[in-house]
Amino acid sequence: MDIRLKTFEEYEAAYEQAKNNPSEYWGKIAENFQFSKKWQDVTLGDFTDGEIRWFNGAKLNITENCLDRHLETRGDKKALVYVANDPSEKNQEFTYKELHAQVCKTANMLEELGVKKGDRVCIYMSMVPELMFTVLACARIGAIHSVVFGGFSAQALAGRIVDAECSVLVTNDGGLRGTKVTELKSIVDEALKEKDCSCVKNVIVHKRANNKVTMQDGRDLWWHELFDKASDKHTAPQLDAEDPLFILYTSGSTGTPKGVVHTQAGYMVWAAYTFANVFQVDPGESSKDMYWCTADIGWITGHTYITYGPLLNGATTMMFEGVPTYPDAGRFWDIVEKNKVTHFYTAPTAVRALMACGDDVPAKYDLSTLKVLGSVGEPINAEAWHWYNEHIGKKKCPIVDTWWQTETGGILISPLAGLTKTKPCKATLPLPGIIPVLVDDDGREIGETMAEGKLCIKHPWPGMLRTVYKNHERFMNAYLRTYKGYYFSGDGAKRDIEGYMRITGRVDDVINVSGHRFGTAEIENAIGKNTAIAESAVVGYPHDVKGEGIYAYVVTDLKDEAEVTKHINDTIIKEIGAVARPDKIQIVSGLPKTRSGKIMRRILRKIAAHDFNNFGDTSTLLDPSVVEEIKEGVK
Ligand code: WTA
């Protein structure tokens, strides 16, 4: 059985099979991969016990599935096409044979430094091919990669290094993005000064930007010096299906970011299956399909849909170092034209930003190679959906609005390109194996087809997270205990008469800014580190380009707004990174609290959205005059 569904009827049949007999269905799908030992059980565990396992007992190496097994049939096919920040710099291209060799070299280099199975390797790099080599090299030797997005600050990086107790860190001297150089190595130096970061024994520095860096004797090593000597032959060890593959930190409604843990076999099957079916890229040896996902490998989208998903399918994946607006707002379309991109996957925030630059920009480029467009990261609004459809897809490319999360490993709800009828702004239907339900506030399943509620998933699927690193209790509480027996996504959704889903956004205290997730508590804690700010409350509000913006209400003795803004921005840049800077700051004399001291965020959210009515029940407010004052402050 092929993993690719070719018609809508095949999808419907697969959906029924996966629902009625998941073991049989996923067992058959998994036959398409290379395992050195077969599983004893296809699936174990449920949402009550939280001990989820897939393909239990099997042995495999995910990189043999990404690379080695394609060498005979697709050795000379392009695996990775790399587009640099500077448009005058030539693309770097790697065939499957070449990518395999690079990954083997990187694996040998890491092993030479003593990295072994189960060790955690932190990867803090800009979008260079070596980032992908490192990710795959870790996977090959069974080391657990923890990629930290290059936009995070030294403090944020340090927190993630300490939590995962990483022994090796791989970085660049600097990253090239537009006209800027991000000084990654010096941020690493800052981070490693932090308490408890002494777990890091070696830092490998890949040279990209040629900016000045200081190398610490005995700790820091140049990538090229190690890599050039390393052999390009590497025998892949066989790992257990449930050995961890990677940790990726993501924000939730409370506390510090959680280390989401994904494991080998289930993630592999899910990444490959969802990529094949949602995008329908032709994986043939001589296929010219050019798939491009514009995400950063620092996020889950870059893990599953730049790296693992396409390679597991033997497709060609493209990786871009730069930003959509450099050297000008036509860059994405220029890349599409020059590289004859057929499948293009981006975020609504990018669509909105480019839409604002005018219709004449994409009109200058030949976009006729495009066959499928994708959207991910946040709800796509109608205006952006139609613009994407008309000005980029020329009304001939299906738009796959893919709903999923770091925790889900891969796409859960999405049209299958060309198979599922699409509707504007709708993620449409669940993939086989996914049983979405809408629940009301009391956790009761809503039976009617047309309904709105909180989006939960009923049964485990292969690609889901297994735990929160070193904190299984937190995993249970965050995902499985809110609504007993269900995985709770934190999102709200609306289902139409045909069962099509529209995702409405987070219903918890998570803000989605340009597709980046932040917890309000996380931002408030960061602001709280500034001694000039007595207290703060942070909420999201509708933002034309970013989807949601960050609105901070702050209590401070300082009177000068510019000064307050500077204090807060400096603190946020230090604690989290520039991406989490508030878009709006309002100085208030107090926050609306209940008698028990809880901030009434509902009211603050309404005010931030300029909705000054219907505050709901305010009888528990300790001091209603605070609300009046805040309202006046906005008006
Ligand atoms: C949101 C990104 C609407 C959602 C893959 C989810 C979406 C959060 C969509 C996960 C979509 C993602 N439509 N909302 N197509 N895709 N989201 O972990 O709120 O960075 O919970 O994963 O993004 O963000 P994360």
Side-chain angles (χ1 to χ4, degrees):
M1 184 169 78
D2 190 356
I3 67 170
R4 191 179 322 273
L5 304 162
K6 295 188 183 67
T7 61
F8 189 70
E9 292 67 38
E10 280 184 27
Y11 156 75
E12 288 183 305
Y15 192 82
E16 283 308 305
Q17 284 169 30
K19 186 172 173 183
N20 299 332
N21 196 340
S23 288
E24 188 184 46
Y25 185 75
W26 294 110
K28 277 196 197 145
I29 293 295
E31 300 283 351
N32 288 279
F33 298 83
Q34 187 174 315
F35 285 91
S36 58
K37 181 170 172 254
K38 204 176 162 166
W39 48 90
Q40 284 130 24
D41 320 272
V42 173
T43 169
L44 291 176
D46 57 37
F47 288 158
T48 311
D49 64 28
E51 300 293 331
I52 314 295
R53 288 190 162 69
W54 283 86
F55 311 107
N56 190 48
K59 286 207 181 273
L60 74 158
N61 188 290
I62 191 171
T63 70
E64 282 189 317
N65 283 278
C66 288
L67 302 168
D68 304 56
R69 76 172 163 143
H70 299 313
L71 295 182
E72 220 173 283
T73 50
R74 294 179 182 77
D76 296 319
K77 180 180 173 177
K78 285 177 205 165
L80 171 65
V81 174
Y82 177 75
V83 180
N85 180 56
D86 181 344
S88 66
E89 199 176 311
K90 249 185 91 225
N91 284 354
Q92 289 186 55
E93 295 186 350
F94 302 86
T95 62
Y96 270 91
K97 262 188 212 147
E98 287 161 343
L99 183 59
H100 176 260
Q102 304 292 313
V103 171
C104 287
K105 277 170 89 87
T106 312
N108 285 319
M109 166 176 94
L110 292 174
E111 282 185 336
E112 200 60 36
L113 286 180
V115 176
K116 46 184 196 325
K117 181 184 160 181
D119 290 353
R120 277 79 54 216
V121 174
C122 180
I123 307 176
Y124 184 68
M125 295 175 93
S126 61
M127 286 285 280
V128 288
E130 288 74 10
L131 164 55
M132 188 184 283
F133 305 162
T134 309
V135 164
L136 292 168
C138 287
R140 193 165 182 92
I141 59 190
I144 304 167
H145 56 77
S146 167
V147 185
V148 177
F149 172 60
F152 280 122
S153 71
Q155 290 289 331
L157 173 63
R160 286 157 174 78
I161 292 171
V162 173
D163 188 73
E165 299 168 279
C166 297
S167 58
V168 166
L169 191 152
V170 187
T171 190
N172 303 116
D173 51 355
L176 301 174
R177 282 173 60 77
T179 53
K180 282 195 235 128
V181 175
T182 21
E183 309 258 340
L184 296 170
K185 174 61 167 67
S186 42
I187 299 173
V188 167
D189 293 338
E190 255 316 289
L192 294 186
K193 280 190 210 139
E194 289 298 311
K195 188 164 124 280
D196 300 327
C197 276
S198 56
C199 49
V200 176
K201 298 291 173 264
N202 288 114
V203 177
I204 305 177
V205 187
H206 170 260
K207 199 178 253 190
R208 172 59 181 149
N210 283 310
N211 51 320
K212 211 171 155 310
V213 297
T214 40
M215 297 291 276
Q216 185 177 311
D217 255 2
R219 188 193 71 186
D220 301 349
L221 304 157
W222 285 110
W223 170 289
H224 54 268
E225 288 176 8
L226 306 170
F227 185 82
D228 293 350
K229 313 197 278 249
S231 154
D232 61 4
K233 306 271 177 306
H234 185 274
T235 311
Q238 297 304 301
L239 304 165
D240 288 327
E242 286 296 339
D243 279 338
L245 171 63
F246 65 84
I247 304 171
L248 187 58
Y249 287 86
T250 193
S251 299
S253 37
T254 56
T256 50
K258 296 189 278 276
V260 164
V261 176
H262 284 286
T263 59
Q264 309 282 336
Y267 174 82
M268 171 179 80
V269 169
W270 197 251
Y273 181 85
T274 53
F275 177 81
N277 286 300
V278 171
F279 297 102
Q280 299 281 327
V281 172
D282 174 359
E285 295 104 88
S286 52
S287 153
K288 292 278 177 284
D289 276 3
M290 179 67 75
Y291 163 86
W292 179 26
C293 165
T294 69
D296 190 294
I297 291 181
W299 307 108
I300 191 67
T301 306
H303 282 55
T304 310
Y305 298 112
I306 296 180
T307 310
Y308 291 108
L311 298 176
L312 285 163
N313 278 281
T316 304
T317 184
M318 211 166 84
M319 179 174 171
F320 173 47
E321 180 179 36
V323 295
T325 48
Y326 176 79
D328 56 51
R331 187 65 196 279
F332 271 7
W333 321 128
D334 181 53
I335 295 175
V336 169
E337 175 179 309
K338 285 203 180 107
N339 297 282
K340 303 194 166 44
V341 171
T342 53
H343 295 69
F344 178 71
Y345 190 27
T346 197
T349 186
V351 174
R352 286 190 297 263
L354 296 173
M355 177 170 82
C357 299
D359 303 350
D360 52 324
V361 183
K364 283 191 266 189
Y365 297 88
D366 178 5
L367 305 178
S368 63
T369 50
L370 287 172
K371 294 195 274 197
V372 174
L373 301 177
S375 172
V376 59
E378 32 162 345
I380 182 163
N381 52 309
E383 201 190 350
W385 195 97
H386 288 292
W387 188 82
Y388 201 24
N389 186 35
E390 281 160 35
H391 294 275
I392 309 304
K394 318 285 182 192
K395 293 193 181 164
K396 66 174 182 56
C397 303
I399 297 180
V400 291
D401 178 0
T402 64
W403 175 77
W404 60 296
Q405 310 178 296
T406 304
E407 294 87 340
T408 68
I411 297 164
L412 299 196
I413 303 181
S414 169
L416 309 185
L419 278 55
T420 315
K421 177 186 77 178
T422 61
K423 290 186 198 174
C425 313
K426 293 198 177 167
T428 74
L429 299 171
L431 269 88
I434 301 305
I435 302 172
V437 296
L438 297 178
V439 303
D440 62 19
D441 289 340
D442 303 320
R444 272 189 304 257
E445 234 179 85
I446 306 174
E448 300 85 52
T449 307
M450 246 173 95
E452 178 164 12
K454 293 177 179 162
L455 178 58
C456 292
I457 311 292
K458 211 164 175 175
H459 293 294
W461 65 98
M464 66 175 288
L465 80 164
R466 299 294 190 265
T467 192
V468 168
Y469 191 64
K470 287 192 309 194
N471 201 340
H472 199 64
E473 204 38 33
R474 201 169 169 204
F475 161 76
M476 294 299 292
N477 287 334
Y479 305 106
L480 304 186
R481 287 194 182 131
T482 316
Y483 300 109
K484 222 174 145 17
Y486 300 104
Y487 166 87
F488 176 46
S489 66
D491 281 318
K494 272 187 188 159
R495 193 165 49 208
D496 74 10
I497 195 71
E498 286 184 279
Y500 271 42
M501 293 284 201
R502 174 196 199 118
I503 314 298
T504 51
R506 301 290 304 200
V507 293
D508 55 4
D509 289 320
V510 169
I511 312 181
N512 192 331
V513 189
S514 305
H516 301 172
R517 268 168 75 169
F518 298 104
T520 53
E522 183 188 0
I523 301 176
E524 287 162 12
N525 287 343
I527 294 177
K529 298 258 164 82
N530 190 313
T531 49
I533 312 296
E535 205 182 4
S536 71
V538 167
V539 296
Y541 74 99
H543 186 287
D544 285 349
V545 174
K546 298 179 174 188
E548 273 189 291
I550 300 175
Y551 198 118
Y553 297 90
V554 301
V555 181
T556 171
D557 289 337
L558 299 175
K559 296 280 174 292
D560 180 39
E561 272 184 39
E563 196 187 342
V564 173
T565 303
K566 186 171 180 331
H567 269 279
I568 291 178
N569 283 347
D570 288 351
T571 314
I572 292 284
I573 289 169
K574 180 158 175 284
E575 297 292 326
I576 305 177
V579 278
R581 270 177 316 195
D583 299 279
K584 283 191 188 166
I585 296 170
Q586 186 179 349
I587 302 172
V588 297
S589 66
L591 297 169
K593 289 189 183 167
T594 61
R595 280 171 231 284
S596 57
K598 256 184 88 149
I599 297 172
M600 288 184 92
R601 286 173 193 283
R602 171 168 48 90
I603 296 179
L604 293 176
R605 254 183 246 125
K606 289 233 168 199
I607 297 176
H610 288 202
D611 174 0
F612 301 112
N613 305 307
N614 311 318
F615 285 164
D617 180 11
T618 51
S619 60
T620 54
L621 261 183
L622 185 64
D623 178 6
S625 72
V626 170
V627 175
E628 290 310 311
E629 180 216 297
I630 298 176
K631 260 165 58 179
E632 285 315 306
V634 182
K635 286 176 178 164

